[in-house]
Amino acid sequence: MGSLEKMKEQISACCQAVMEQLAQACGDNYEELIKNWLEIHAHYIQTVNSVLEQWAAGASPAGAAGDAGAIYASEAVVEVVEAGTGRVLRRRLPMEYWETGNGIRLVGETVDGVATHLAFLSETGVLRMKDILGQGPDTPRCE
């Protein structure tokens, strides 16, 4: 058995043990079980992200991918909590993800295969956009 398969089995066993402990602690209260699981799941994601960020910081020099501080990915993971059941669902979506100090830009395709963009501007991005459109402060940036 490969190392990756062994790790998957270890993760499955760990998750099974955690769920058994939660079920025992919560008894028949399914809502409490889901609430506690979501809290544990959020902690797990936060911990993994922290470790990955530390590895990424040590693995690549600042600015190696272009804009220092920019984040790029060719796919995104969307995680939702189903309202009716509390189930956590994750989906991998083929889209470009760009994040800079100006905000987040998503690039993908519609059902018809037409390219589409969606942008979420940060406060800094909104202020820069207002400045470009002539709606910014009437003070010169240079003196």
Side-chain angles (χ1 to χ4, degrees):
M1 177 181 308
S3 177
L4 185 60
E5 290 303 315
K6 187 173 183 176
M7 284 187 259
K8 287 180 181 179
E9 285 183 8
Q10 290 172 336
I11 289 171
S12 294
C14 178
C15 289
Q16 183 69 34
V18 167
M19 289 307 295
E20 287 173 4
Q21 288 177 15
L22 278 176
Q24 192 173 33
C26 297
D28 291 338
N29 190 339
Y30 184 73
E31 289 178 9
E32 184 179 350
L33 174 73
I34 293 297
K35 178 181 147 275
N36 289 340
W37 166 247
L38 290 174
E39 187 176 327
I40 288 170
H41 183 260
H43 179 73
Y44 168 79
I45 295 296
Q46 181 182 10
T47 301
V48 169
N49 285 342
S50 175
V51 170
L52 289 173
E53 287 171 6
Q54 290 172 15
W55 285 348
S60 62
D67 182 14
I71 299 170
Y72 170 77
S74 59
E75 96 177 349
V77 177
V78 175
E79 185 174 281
V80 297
V81 178
E82 189 177 27
T85 64
R87 291 187 312 164
V88 176
L89 305 167
R90 293 172 57 92
R91 301 289 185 260
R92 295 174 81 105
L93 304 176
M95 69 171 66
E96 292 183 18
Y97 175 96
W98 291 86
E99 181 178 343
T100 66
N102 292 327
I104 296 172
R105 181 173 165 233
L106 305 175
V107 180
E109 290 184 353
T110 66
V111 174
D112 300 323
V114 177
T116 186
H117 303 259
L118 183 60
F120 301 91
L121 296 177
S122 65
E123 184 176 348
T124 301
V126 170
L127 293 175
R128 287 180 182 163
M129 187 66 74
K130 284 182 176 180
D131 192 34
I132 290 170
L133 296 172
Q135 299 172 358
D138 282 336
T139 55
R141 285 183 262 163
C142 302
E143 292 189 31

